[in-house]
Amino acid sequence: MKWEGISEFVYVAEYESFTQAAKELGISIAQVSRQVSALEKRLNIKLFYRTTRKISLTEEGQVFYQHCRAVLDGLDAAEQAVSTLQSKPQGRIKLTAPVTFGEQQLLPLINDFMLQYPDIEVTAFLSNQKIDLVKGGYDLAVRIGRLRDSTMMAKKLGYRTNYVCASPDYIDEFGVPQTLADLSQHNCLLGSVDYWHFKEGSADRNIRVSGRVQYNSGYGLVDAALKGLGIVQLPDYYVQKYLESGELVSFLDDYREPEEGIWAVYPQNRHPLPKVKVLLQHLQQNLPL
């Protein structure tokens, strides 16, 4: 009796939807609703606030969810521990990663990985937002750059390099900045923030820049740079082929940060399972280090 309704409750809490919970569990919406209602009755507490538009946890529901999530994680870990007795890692890996890096770099490597491990399934959610790994039931997140202080564990997978560059047409008309201070005299193509990262000697520098363009799209910024609208700072996977073809020219190389880390991040109390370990090894072997 104590286990009845627990999975249904956790899935509803995480998806904030009885319909999605039923879909994920492979049962009917009515069955999910009955199990959750029976659980509330057995506990004599209200677990959810329900309106026609939204479902959210009550304060008691939040506390109960944290404990139930830990219990289900423990069961998953127990199942994976048993699976290590078999010859091949197996099971589902759920991960999240930034959109462009995921599309260009990560997912092709995961596709290669899945050819080697046919018993592993992968669900990847690409987002530039920071996802709550515990609440979402994720095994890991791939994140880039400086990591914020947190209780998460981190493993370095590789690195990326940022380049400051512009088109030959822009350089012919406006010249090349020789120092970081010279950037204030140029039209800088901005992304989601109005500063760029540099290294000056041994010191990290964040230089505030400005310009006529601000996009939250790397592809849009590359196109603007190619068309001579200004100077851009972007990771290698956006600009490398244009640098090689000469369509973009890199400068301020002496101030370039040597690297930005590419990290696998996972909850501190959730050790990487065998299926996750082999994926991390694969990524470490194939991302630039």
Side-chain angles (χ1 to χ4, degrees), residues 72-281:
L72 293 183
D73 287 344
L75 286 173
D76 287 340
E79 291 179 5
Q80 289 301 318
V82 173
S83 75
T84 61
L85 299 176
Q86 302 181 28
S87 58
K88 294 182 179 179
Q90 60 182 294
R92 180 179 295 276
I93 299 173
K94 186 177 181 182
L95 62 91
T96 181
V99 177
T100 302
F101 177 79
E103 290 176 338
Q104 292 195 7
Q105 304 288 313
L106 186 65
L107 295 187
L109 292 180
I110 291 177
N111 291 337
D112 294 338
F113 167 79
M114 294 183 71
L115 291 173
Q116 300 177 42
Y117 295 94
D119 295 323
I120 290 180
E121 302 173 17
V122 175
T123 297
F125 178 68
L126 301 184
S127 172
N128 293 329
Q129 304 299 315
K130 293 294 187 292
I131 305 296
D132 187 325
L133 303 188
V134 176
K135 185 174 181 180
Y138 287 89
D139 294 293
L140 72 148
V142 175
R143 292 178 178 161
I144 299 174
R146 297 178 177 89
L147 295 178
R148 298 177 181 175
D149 292 337
S150 74
T151 59
M152 296 288 170
M153 302 294 289
K155 181 183 291 290
K156 192 171 186 179
L157 300 177
Y159 70 89
R160 72 175 185 182
T161 302
N162 282 322
Y163 290 91
V164 176
C165 50
S167 70
D169 288 343
Y170 179 90
I171 292 171
D172 288 343
E173 185 171 357
F174 299 103
V176 172
Q178 301 297 320
T179 68
L180 300 184
D182 291 343
L183 288 172
S184 63
Q185 306 302 315
H186 287 266
N187 187 50
C188 297
L189 308 172
L190 306 182
S192 57
V193 296
D194 62 354
Y195 56 87
W196 290 350
H197 299 298
F198 294 97
K199 195 88 169 178
E200 190 169 23
S202 60
D204 293 328
R205 295 286 306 277
N206 289 333
I207 302 298
R208 195 168 298 277
V209 294
S210 61
R212 295 170 54 208
V213 166
Q214 184 165 16
Y215 300 150
N216 67 340
S217 165
Y219 293 116
L221 293 173
V222 168
D223 187 69
L226 289 169
K227 292 175 178 176
L229 287 177
I231 298 171
V232 73
Q233 184 185 62
L234 282 172
D236 42 21
Y237 49 81
Y238 282 107
V239 300
Q240 190 68 52
K241 66 179 181 179
Y242 301 116
L243 294 173
E244 292 172 358
S245 69
E247 293 172 86
L248 291 175
V249 178
S250 173
F251 41 82
L252 294 177
D253 295 344
D254 290 342
Y255 299 97
R256 182 190 304 148
E257 286 186 312
E259 63 182 43
E260 278 191 323
I262 301 171
W263 306 88
V265 177
Y266 49 91
Q268 192 170 26
N269 61 347
R270 190 182 299 173
H271 298 291
L273 301 172
K275 60 186 179 182
V276 177
K277 285 183 178 180
V278 292
L279 174 59
L280 296 181
Q281 290 168 1

Side-chain angles (χ1 to χ4, degrees), residues 18-83:
F18 282 79
T19 301
Q20 189 62 33
K23 182 179 179 181
E24 293 293 324
L25 290 167
I27 59 179
S28 70
I29 299 171
Q31 185 175 350
V32 173
S33 181
R34 282 196 301 271
Q35 290 283 32
V36 172
S37 295
L39 181 61
E40 288 179 316
K41 184 176 180 180
R42 190 166 75 247
L43 296 172
N44 195 29
I45 58 173
K46 186 176 182 179
L47 296 171
F48 293 104
Y49 295 117
R50 298 171 175 86
T51 68
T52 56
R53 294 186 177 183
K54 188 176 181 181
I55 297 170
S56 59
L57 288 166
T58 63
E59 182 178 356
E60 294 86 352
Q62 287 279 5
V63 173
F64 193 61
Y65 165 78
Q66 296 297 331
H67 289 279
C68 290
R69 179 72 264 177
V71 169
L72 293 183
D73 287 344
L75 286 173
D76 287 340
E79 291 179 5
Q80 289 301 318
V82 173
S83 75

